[in-house]
Amino acid sequence: MLEKIRSLRAEIDELNLRLLELLSRRAEAAAEIGALQTELGASQYDPVREQEMLDALVAANRGPFDAGTVKSLFKQIFQASMQLGQAAQKRDYLTSRAARSHDTVVEVKGVLIGSRHSPVLIAGPCAIESEEQVNAVAERLASRGVRLFRGGAFKPRTDPYSFQGLGAEGLKMGRRAADRYGLAFVSEIMSPELLPLFEEHVDVLQIGARNMQNFDLLKAVGRSRQPVLLKRGLAATVEEWLMAAEYLLYEGNTNVILCERGIRTFERYTRNTLDVSAVALAKLESHLPVLVDVTHSGGRRDLLVQLTKAGLAVGADGIMVEVHPNPAVALSDQKQQIDFDTFDAYLEETGYHTKLSEKRVELYGF
Ligand code: PEP
Ligand code: MN
């Protein structure tokens, strides 16, 4: 009796090995089919084919398993092969640290953004309103050591009746002012058709929060080689933000800077809520530089210094802030832009005044 059990067990051991060999061979064949299907642009999952295989197996079944058991056993095998194919197809996202182990550094007119370089400061009006206004801000900022100048010419406004920006004329004004004072020019592009105009006049293409998932815009800007500043959408998760950046990298533009600008929450004391954990997370997950727009984050002048310190403390590579010669008469974002004197105080209180060209290590002791 014991002898019989021993011999049957030996037979089962042998059958197990043969089954394993057959399963492995089957998985290899399925993987080859999967790769060919992918090349043809077809899905790896073919429910009709799966049903045919199950029907054939049930028809060939001579027992002792019943039809349901045979089906469920083979379903498991099919599923394991599918999962194998999916794992093989999965690849590292280009924005992830798995795809690139060292930090991306974006160069804008000699200014290096990212890695251990000094935190940068992008400043300028919300919107370009006139030649006088744009020149006045550019002159003042340049005199304070700012090298990256912002100003919107195409404005994404909630209310269709509010100031929409000066358009192409505004863009040209911004360019002239930036050139006059040796500044790099950052401006928001809202439509893919305007890319040639922007490539001619701006140094950094800004994609605004409201356009973060405008995939045609992302694809067009991704095909450009101009640096891009990608704002986080007002209700976008960190994953969605990084996926939007992925579009840019996938199309070949590696000069991507992320910018957290606050998200919409239930809080009403601030216009948006600055998500500092998203800044830290984006730095952990991706190799791209990350900035914080402190103006739109809080929507409050009295928080600019604190939000700047918070952003830099969690590892931001720079800050964006809006400055206007006379915010009370600004055509957009009146409540949150700061005037020249307030900007001077801001530079002093944040440490940016003497540190614009020094290393972050010296700024907040990192
Ligand atoms: C801006 O920076 O001018 C702007 C409109 O910001 P956001 O897209 O973050 O709202
Ligand atoms: Mn604004």
Side-chain angles (χ1 to χ4, degrees):
M1 188 99 96
L2 280 177
E3 191 47 42
K4 178 80 179 153
I5 291 175
R6 213 171 289 130
S7 111
L8 285 169
R9 281 189 169 160
E11 190 186 343
I12 283 191
D13 287 344
E14 169 66 21
L15 286 167
N16 279 346
L17 290 175
R18 278 168 59 193
L19 269 174
L20 180 64
E21 179 55 34
L22 288 169
L23 284 172
S24 305
R25 177 60 207 130
R26 189 193 181 285
E28 283 161 7
E32 266 182 70
I33 294 173
L36 293 169
Q37 296 271 74
T38 306
E39 254 185 71
L40 290 172
S43 159
Q44 284 200 27
Y45 180 58
D46 184 346
V48 176
R49 162 86 182 133
E50 200 172 295
Q51 191 56 53
E52 282 168 4
M53 289 193 290
L54 289 176
D55 291 346
L57 287 160
V58 168
N61 181 28
R62 58 170 181 81
F65 292 126
D66 62 24
T69 307
V70 169
K71 275 193 200 170
S72 85
L73 282 171
F74 276 87
K75 269 288 234 189
Q76 287 268 318
I77 295 173
F78 299 166
Q79 209 164 10
S81 295
M82 275 283 294
Q83 280 163 357
L84 207 63
Q86 281 160 354
Q89 266 199 334
K90 215 168 154 184
R91 60 180 201 180
D92 292 326
Y93 284 107
L94 299 170
T95 50
S96 72
R97 288 206 175 269
R100 187 181 157 105
S101 56
H102 51 288
D103 285 337
T104 286
V105 175
V106 177
E107 194 205 320
V108 180
K109 287 214 153 181
V111 179
L112 300 174
I113 308 173
S115 195
R116 302 294 292 175
H117 294 285
S118 330
V120 296
L121 186 61
I122 302 181
C126 180
I128 293 167
E129 298 170 0
S130 69
E131 198 94 50
E132 296 71 41
Q133 176 241 21
V134 79
N135 279 324
V137 192
E139 182 187 16
R140 180 69 170 216
L141 295 179
S143 77
R144 298 303 190 261
V146 171
R147 298 180 63 192
L148 304 170
F149 180 64
R150 63 147 287 144
F154 294 84
K155 296 298 300 176
R157 304 304 301 280
T158 303
D159 183 339
Y161 303 111
S162 54
F163 179 59
Q164 302 286 308
L166 297 180
E169 269 321 298
L171 214 56
K172 288 172 194 165
M173 283 178 200
R175 176 76 270 161
R176 283 196 292 272
D179 285 345
R180 189 169 298 131
Y181 299 103
L183 300 163
F185 182 37
V186 184
S187 199
E188 177 169 353
I189 175 166
M190 293 204 291
S191 145
E193 299 86 70
L194 291 177
L195 187 59
L197 180 76
F198 271 78
E199 285 185 319
E200 194 186 333
H201 294 100
V202 314
D203 301 300
V204 179
L205 303 160
Q206 178 172 323
I207 296 183
R210 288 156 195 81
N211 269 314
M212 189 205 82
Q213 284 188 316
N214 179 338
F215 297 110
D216 285 341
L217 182 63
L218 291 170
K219 285 178 189 171
V221 168
R223 286 191 286 270
S224 171
R225 290 297 169 267
Q226 213 100 339
V228 189
L229 186 131
L230 177 66
K231 295 272 196 106
R232 179 182 178 192
L234 19 175
T237 62
V238 172
E239 189 183 19
E240 287 163 342
W241 187 26
L242 293 175
M243 288 296 178
E246 187 74 17
Y247 270 87
L248 298 167
L249 268 69
Y250 178 71
E251 293 292 343
N253 194 337
T254 52
N255 294 312
V256 177
I257 305 159
L258 299 168
C259 183
E260 155 69 23
R261 46 79 73 209
I263 49 170
R264 183 162 290 182
T265 67
F266 53 80
E267 183 53 64
R268 286 291 157 262
Y269 274 26
T270 48
R271 181 172 166 185
N272 294 291
T273 300
L274 171 61
D275 185 0
V276 280
S277 62
V279 179
L281 254 175
K283 291 291 298 177
L284 272 181
E285 296 285 325
S286 103
H287 49 81
L288 299 172
V290 182
L291 305 188
V292 172
D293 169 347
V294 288
T295 298
H296 296 98
S297 285
R300 293 176 60 137
R301 292 184 192 111
D302 55 357
L303 286 181
L304 293 177
V305 171
Q306 293 89 327
L307 298 187
T308 297
K309 288 180 179 175
L312 294 175
V314 292
D317 298 293
I319 299 293
M320 177 183 267
V321 63
E322 287 184 350
V323 182
H324 191 284
N326 185 0
V329 299
L331 298 178
S332 59
D333 285 353
Q334 274 177 17
K335 281 203 219 119
Q336 61 203 47
Q337 303 201 61
I338 49 173
D339 63 21
F340 294 166
D341 289 343
T342 313
F343 181 63
D344 279 347
Y346 167 86
L347 291 182
E348 193 138 337
E349 285 169 47
T350 54
Y352 258 120
H353 68 308
T354 52
K355 314 283 186 182
L356 271 175
S357 58
E358 293 174 25
K359 299 237 180 294
R360 172 185 305 148
V361 179
E362 289 145 29
L363 191 60
Y364 286 115
F366 296 125

